[in-house]
Amino acid sequence: MNARRHPDLLDDGTAAPVVAIAPEVALLQGFVATAPLLAEIEAIAAAAPFRRLETPGGGRMSVAMTNAGRYGWHSDRHGYRYLECDPESGRPWPAMPEMFAALARRAATRAGFPGFAPDCCLVNRYAVGAQMGTHRDFDELDLRHPIVSVSIGLPATFLWYGATRKGPPRRVPVADGDVLVWGGDARAGYHGVRRLAGRGEAQEALRYNLTLRRAR
Ligand code: MD6
Ligand code: FE
């Protein structure tokens, strides 16, 4: 049976293959059925629409973002930070769907990080041509908590650089339903996402990524 083509048969993820990308970086292939996650993303975006944020340097990100949970990640000319309210509306971010929190806990446990309780879900939306430059996730209070990252929709290539941004990265294909987990000494590793390939004629030619963190 091809797990990748039948993620619904693996909905508890127990049969999903675990691929070691680097020490304390695990790829859980076909770990989750994504249709219910997409429905939750639509509800989040109805309350807090996707937007392309400004960077401190004055540019604009190609990836569109929104958030759910107690904290939301934000960027503008003043820098990167977590906010309790959506600056577009002044209202709190939409609540973290229970399904997201449960998925994050289950994936983190599978990867060797039990007890993970995220308080932020950053939702990234990539149209064809969008990319995520090399960075590390460093704005959280306690880097002992892992990060759980869920890929939905179009496949992409995740780039893992590790402790320094020098040298060629490890290229990691990530497909719909794959979950990447990292923590421990890898938590501050450099990474990015290659420019999304594809022919962007259809509205569904998108990749979403849920990045579940503990911000505070
Ligand atoms: C993405 N992900 O996959 C972007 N960061 O669209 C990230 O930047 C990321 O996947 C920290 C941990 C996991 C991630
Ligand atoms: Fe990141």
Side-chain angles (χ1 to χ4, degrees):
M1 175 125 356
N2 186 330
R4 194 170 271 294
R5 289 162 78 182
H6 300 280
D8 51 318
L9 298 179
L10 300 171
D11 203 24
D12 68 354
T14 46
V18 181
V19 180
I21 302 303
E24 300 187 288
V25 183
L27 176 64
L28 315 179
Q29 291 180 321
F31 190 74
V32 65
T34 56
L37 304 179
L38 268 174
E40 295 285 7
I41 292 171
E42 278 176 24
I44 292 164
F50 282 100
R51 79 287 311 254
R52 288 174 51 206
L53 297 172
E54 248 187 311
T55 61
R60 204 164 277 281
M61 295 185 182
S62 60
V63 176
M65 299 181 178
T66 187
N67 293 276
R70 169 121 191 234
Y71 299 100
W73 187 84
H74 185 69
S75 170
D76 61 20
R77 288 183 177 263
H78 305 292
Y80 306 137
R81 63 203 178 278
Y82 282 97
L83 299 175
E84 293 191 70
C85 289
D86 179 353
E88 294 284 314
S89 68
R91 293 194 303 264
W93 299 102
M96 169 93 64
E98 189 49 48
M99 185 191 298
F100 287 12
L103 166 61
R105 175 175 293 260
R106 192 160 61 76
T109 299
R110 184 75 193 279
F113 303 101
F116 181 48
D119 59 10
C120 168
C121 180
L122 171 64
V123 188
N124 294 142
R125 185 184 71 191
Y126 294 72
V128 167
Q131 64 182 325
M132 178 84 67
T134 310
H135 69 280
R136 44 188 189 157
D137 292 70
F138 219 70
D139 304 316
E140 300 75 30
L141 194 63
D142 184 349
L143 297 182
R144 288 173 301 183
H145 298 291
I147 298 189
V148 170
S149 161
V150 183
S151 288
I152 298 166
L154 286 185
T157 303
F158 190 86
L159 303 172
W160 174 255
Y161 291 83
T164 81
R165 65 203 312 162
K166 286 179 293 196
R170 170 126 190 222
R171 295 177 177 201
V172 182
V174 285
D176 182 67
D178 288 355
V179 180
L180 207 46
V181 182
W182 75 67
D185 289 341
R187 178 60 177 73
Y190 286 96
H191 58 278
V193 178
R194 263 183 121 186
R195 186 176 297 280
L196 195 71
R199 306 222 310 271
E201 77 284 349
Q203 209 198 329
E204 58 267 43
L206 293 170
R207 169 178 185 260
Y208 294 95
N209 167 260
L210 306 177
T211 304
L212 293 133
R213 302 103 183 257
R214 181 95 195 170
R216 292 289 177 263

